[in-house]
Amino acid sequence: MFGQAVTYGRVLEFAISETIDKSQQWILSAMQRHGPELVTMLWRILGNEQDVCDAYQNTFLQLAHYQNRQKPKHIKAYIFRTASNVAVSMLRHRIAERERLSITIVPKKLISSPANEFDSKCLQETLRCCIARLPEYLRNVITLRDLAELSYTQIGRMLGISAATARVYRCKAIQLLSVWMSKKEREIQ
Amino acid sequence: MKKASTNKSTTFSDGLKEGKINKCRRIRGWLHEALRSHFSLNADWVQNHIANCPKCQRRFSSVSRVNLALSLIKSQPHKLDLLMRANTQAIGVLKHSLREAPKAQKLKAMQPEPKLLEICSIHKHSAANVAACIAILFLMKTGIFSFTDTVQTQGQKAVKQYYINQVGEDLASDIFHG
């Protein structure tokens, strides 16, 4: 009798695990559907291939463990926001590490021509540093609009704001970035 | 009687409302147009001001530096196998059943593919040219046929008129209508 109960228990456990596994197939579907766009966005935020892979892995790991392995309502929004947050925290960590090692990431002279690769890389790094410093509501818009190339309507839906508000936030973000970047340039000079 | 008058009044008020809405739309359009012509970056007074204001020039150059940096970031290419590597690494930490799924094997070998719109945009100009040629041919064909029809009917009318004048209406109608 006891043996039979154990067997039934095992069968039930197996069946439950199978249903969970089946329901989690959506993770692979999400990876297939949004993976390329996500990699592009992460590459643009981080600019380092290994970091991109780490952030990507972290994002899908968080997705797999989201609220007792449940499927989020708006997967695309969840994935993009998580990936952006993960990437920005990695970026901040990288900046802090560089500052700790007292390596100046900005060279003495800012960009003179886009053809000069070294200078253009520094300009990109400066922008990345400034993006990491932005307040969350502005950073979300700038990463989703300019780095993930999503439309304002999509961004609005993802962040729970209107498309017009997203537009205004982007404008503010650009203004702030321009002020910070010129300040950095002046500091160097 | 009352009903008819109320119906009339409602239709009248509806018409008034529609008229107002249309007027509003028109005014909004004019306002938008006026604002765009007076306050856009291409407006003469804006261009003149920027040319003579060092503060605005600085602001402009700093904003354009941000835009330049953004476009530099966007134009930076990554290796083609990055998506494959990222997928492989991410699948590696998922549970066994997901790792072994056939979809996972596909994802591990996945490469970025251009979107359908991007593919189509390459052939956009040639498609537009072909469409334009087809449209021209169609218009020409329609024009030629309608022109031939007109010539035929006009010719028939002229000949009939000639016969009417020469042999009379009865005989002419016999000739033309059998």
Side-chain angles (χ1 to χ4, degrees):
Chain A
M1 190 73 181
F2 178 72
Q4 214 173 3
V6 168
T7 329
Y8 283 139
R10 274 188 186 168
V11 167
L12 193 68
E13 203 175 292
F14 178 72
I16 289 167
S17 69
E18 274 297 291
T19 34
I20 288 172
D21 283 350
K22 266 186 190 169
S23 66
Q24 283 220 313
Q25 286 285 326
W26 52 263
I27 295 176
L28 297 178
S29 304
M31 202 181 274
Q32 189 176 20
R33 204 166 166 202
H34 307 297
E37 288 171 319
L38 205 64
V39 164
T40 309
M41 186 189 79
L42 288 172
W43 166 249
R44 284 171 180 173
I45 297 174
L46 293 161
N48 179 303
E49 292 191 348
Q50 192 47 55
D51 286 352
V52 170
C53 291
D54 292 345
Y56 190 81
Q57 176 193 314
N58 207 335
T59 306
F60 280 99
L61 204 57
Q62 284 193 38
L63 181 70
H65 294 279
Y66 172 78
Q67 285 183 357
N68 286 332
R69 303 180 176 197
Q70 277 180 350
K71 188 178 173 180
K73 234 180 187 180
H74 194 337
I75 295 185
K76 192 178 180 183
Y78 180 83
I79 290 174
F80 273 84
R81 289 189 70 179
T82 311
S84 153
N85 289 338
V86 168
V88 168
S89 52
M90 283 172 85
L91 200 62
R92 280 184 188 148
H93 186 74
R94 202 203 287 170
I95 294 162
E97 192 79 356
R98 274 182 193 164
E99 275 170 10
R100 197 171 61 83
L101 294 168
S102 66
I103 297 169
T104 48
I105 54 158
V106 185
K108 283 179 182 170
K109 196 177 79 182
L110 267 176
I111 192 154
S112 53
S113 81
N116 191 332
E117 203 197 357
F118 184 67
D119 279 353
S120 77
K121 271 189 181 165
C122 288
L123 190 64
Q124 288 173 44
E125 276 306 303
T126 316
L127 181 67
R128 282 189 183 116
C129 292
C130 294
I131 288 175
R133 271 177 64 197
L134 279 174
E136 197 188 351
Y137 70 106
L138 299 182
R139 196 186 59 231
N140 281 337
V141 174
I142 207 98
T143 46
L144 294 175
R145 174 67 194 160
D146 291 276
L147 306 179
E149 291 183 81
L150 299 176
S151 69
Y152 282 115
T153 325
Q154 280 176 313
I155 295 168
R157 227 177 294 143
M158 277 184 183
L159 303 177
I161 53 175
S162 70
T165 313
R167 237 176 247 272
V168 172
Y169 283 178
R170 189 194 171 261
C171 196
K172 274 186 185 174
I174 294 283
Q175 279 174 358
L176 215 55
L177 287 173
S178 70
V179 170
W180 287 346
M181 281 178 78
S182 29
K183 211 184 238 178
K184 273 202 172 182
E185 187 195 14
R186 254 178 274 138
E187 275 169 20
I188 294 153
Q189 281 170 353
Chain B
M1 193 67 182
K2 259 188 181 177
K3 263 188 186 176
S5 66
T6 47
N7 274 347
K8 263 187 190 176
S9 65
T10 48
T11 48
F12 182 68
S13 63
D14 283 349
L16 265 178
K17 263 184 194 172
E18 259 181 43
K20 267 187 184 176
I21 289 166
N22 283 339
K23 204 176 177 185
C24 278
R25 256 185 217 156
R26 249 181 290 143
I27 289 170
R28 244 186 293 153
W30 291 337
L31 271 174
H32 185 70
E33 224 18 69
L35 283 172
R36 213 173 50 179
S37 61
H38 286 282
F39 297 103
S40 78
L41 277 175
N42 297 325
D44 287 341
W45 69 271
V46 178
Q47 297 272 344
N48 287 336
H49 174 75
I50 291 168
N52 298 315
C53 175
K55 235 183 185 179
C56 284
Q57 278 175 14
R58 246 179 283 135
R59 258 182 228 143
F60 230 73
S61 71
S62 53
V63 169
S64 59
R65 194 175 298 119
V66 176
N67 287 330
L68 174 69
L70 277 171
S71 45
L72 278 170
I73 285 177
K74 276 189 211 171
S75 62
Q76 205 70 32
H78 57 74
K79 281 184 189 163
L80 261 178
D81 65 341
L82 181 61
L83 179 63
M84 226 155 64
R85 279 193 286 145
N87 279 343
T88 312
Q89 196 174 318
I91 288 165
V93 293
L94 295 177
K95 57 171 97 172
H96 183 262
S97 54
L98 286 176
R99 280 203 307 269
E100 297 303 315
K103 210 177 217 175
Q105 308 309 318
K106 264 188 207 169
L107 283 167
K108 281 180 187 174
M110 192 180 171
Q111 284 203 334
E113 279 172 21
K115 287 176 193 167
L116 191 69
L117 270 174
E118 286 169 9
I119 298 166
C120 293
S121 67
I122 302 167
H123 306 292
K124 199 170 63 183
H125 293 293
S126 41
N129 283 339
V130 170
C133 286
I134 290 168
I136 289 165
L137 279 173
F138 181 73
L139 285 172
M140 275 171 71
K141 201 179 163 188
T142 325
I144 287 165
F145 279 122
S146 70
F147 180 71
T148 324
D149 281 347
T150 322
V151 166
Q152 205 178 350
T153 46
Q154 292 294 326
Q156 257 183 357
K157 267 185 194 171
V159 172
K160 196 179 172 184
Q161 193 58 43
Y162 175 78
Y163 273 92
I164 287 167
N165 291 340
Q166 296 298 319
V167 291
E169 209 171 335
D170 296 335
L171 270 172
S173 60
D174 278 349
I175 292 164
F176 281 94
H177 301 293

